[in-house]
Short mmCIF file of all heavy atoms in Angstrom, two decimals:
data_model
loop_
_atom_site.label_atom_id
_atom_site.label_comp_id
_atom_site.label_asym_id
_atom_site.label_seq_id
_atom_site.Cartn_x
_atom_site.Cartn_y
_atom_site.Cartn_z
N PHE F 54 21.37 -113.98 -2.54
CA PHE F 54 21.18 -114.31 -1.13
C PHE F 54 19.94 -115.18 -0.95
O PHE F 54 19.03 -115.18 -1.78
CB PHE F 54 21.00 -113.03 -0.31
CG PHE F 54 22.21 -112.13 -0.35
CD1 PHE F 54 22.22 -111.00 -1.13
CD2 PHE F 54 23.34 -112.45 0.40
CE1 PHE F 54 23.33 -110.17 -1.16
CE2 PHE F 54 24.46 -111.64 0.37
CZ PHE F 54 24.46 -110.49 -0.41
N ASP F 55 19.91 -115.91 0.17
CA ASP F 55 18.71 -116.73 0.39
C ASP F 55 17.55 -115.81 0.76
O ASP F 55 17.72 -114.63 1.06
CB ASP F 55 18.98 -117.83 1.41
CG ASP F 55 18.90 -117.42 2.88
OD1 ASP F 55 18.41 -116.33 3.18
OD2 ASP F 55 19.31 -118.24 3.71
N MET F 56 16.35 -116.35 0.74
CA MET F 56 15.13 -115.55 0.85
C MET F 56 15.04 -114.80 2.18
O MET F 56 14.54 -113.66 2.21
CB MET F 56 13.93 -116.48 0.68
CG MET F 56 12.76 -115.88 0.01
SD MET F 56 13.19 -114.82 -1.36
CE MET F 56 11.74 -115.01 -2.26
N ASP F 57 15.53 -115.38 3.26
CA ASP F 57 15.48 -114.67 4.56
C ASP F 57 16.30 -113.39 4.52
O ASP F 57 15.88 -112.36 5.07
CB ASP F 57 16.00 -115.58 5.68
CG ASP F 57 15.05 -116.73 5.98
OD1 ASP F 57 13.85 -116.60 5.68
OD2 ASP F 57 15.52 -117.75 6.52
N VAL F 58 17.45 -113.42 3.88
CA VAL F 58 18.29 -112.24 3.76
C VAL F 58 17.65 -111.25 2.78
O VAL F 58 17.59 -110.05 3.05
CB VAL F 58 19.72 -112.61 3.30
CG1 VAL F 58 20.54 -111.38 3.01
CG2 VAL F 58 20.40 -113.48 4.36
N GLN F 59 17.15 -111.76 1.65
CA GLN F 59 16.52 -110.88 0.65
C GLN F 59 15.37 -110.09 1.25
O GLN F 59 15.18 -108.91 0.91
CB GLN F 59 15.99 -111.70 -0.52
CG GLN F 59 17.05 -112.23 -1.44
CD GLN F 59 16.45 -112.94 -2.62
OE1 GLN F 59 15.51 -112.45 -3.23
NE2 GLN F 59 16.98 -114.12 -2.94
N ALA F 60 14.62 -110.70 2.14
CA ALA F 60 13.47 -110.02 2.74
C ALA F 60 13.90 -108.85 3.63
O ALA F 60 13.11 -107.93 3.84
CB ALA F 60 12.66 -111.03 3.56
N GLN F 61 15.13 -108.88 4.11
CA GLN F 61 15.60 -107.82 5.00
C GLN F 61 16.34 -106.70 4.27
O GLN F 61 16.53 -105.62 4.82
CB GLN F 61 16.52 -108.43 6.06
CG GLN F 61 15.80 -109.41 6.96
CD GLN F 61 16.74 -110.07 7.95
OE1 GLN F 61 17.77 -109.49 8.31
NE2 GLN F 61 16.42 -111.25 8.39
N ILE F 62 16.75 -106.95 3.04
CA ILE F 62 17.57 -105.98 2.30
C ILE F 62 16.84 -104.65 2.08
O ILE F 62 17.41 -103.59 2.41
CB ILE F 62 18.08 -106.58 0.98
CG1 ILE F 62 19.13 -107.65 1.28
CG2 ILE F 62 18.64 -105.49 0.06
CD1 ILE F 62 19.57 -108.44 0.06
N PRO F 63 15.62 -104.62 1.57
CA PRO F 63 14.99 -103.30 1.34
C PRO F 63 14.85 -102.46 2.60
O PRO F 63 15.15 -101.27 2.58
CB PRO F 63 13.62 -103.67 0.76
CG PRO F 63 13.82 -105.01 0.13
CD PRO F 63 14.80 -105.71 1.03
N ALA F 64 14.44 -103.07 3.70
CA ALA F 64 14.29 -102.30 4.94
C ALA F 64 15.64 -101.76 5.40
O ALA F 64 15.73 -100.61 5.87
CB ALA F 64 13.66 -103.17 6.03
N GLY F 65 16.69 -102.56 5.28
CA GLY F 65 18.02 -102.09 5.67
C GLY F 65 18.48 -100.93 4.80
O GLY F 65 19.04 -99.95 5.31
N LEU F 66 18.24 -101.04 3.51
CA LEU F 66 18.66 -99.97 2.59
C LEU F 66 17.86 -98.70 2.83
O LEU F 66 18.40 -97.58 2.72
CB LEU F 66 18.53 -100.44 1.14
CG LEU F 66 19.47 -101.58 0.75
CD1 LEU F 66 19.21 -102.00 -0.69
CD2 LEU F 66 20.92 -101.21 0.97
N VAL F 67 16.58 -98.84 3.14
CA VAL F 67 15.77 -97.65 3.45
C VAL F 67 16.30 -96.99 4.72
O VAL F 67 16.38 -95.75 4.79
CB VAL F 67 14.27 -98.03 3.59
CG1 VAL F 67 13.48 -96.90 4.23
CG2 VAL F 67 13.70 -98.39 2.24
#
Side-chain angles (χ1 to χ4, degrees):
F54 297 103
D55 82 13
M56 215 39 154
D57 290 336
V58 173
Q59 287 184 45
Q61 296 176 27
I62 290 172
L66 295 178
V67 166

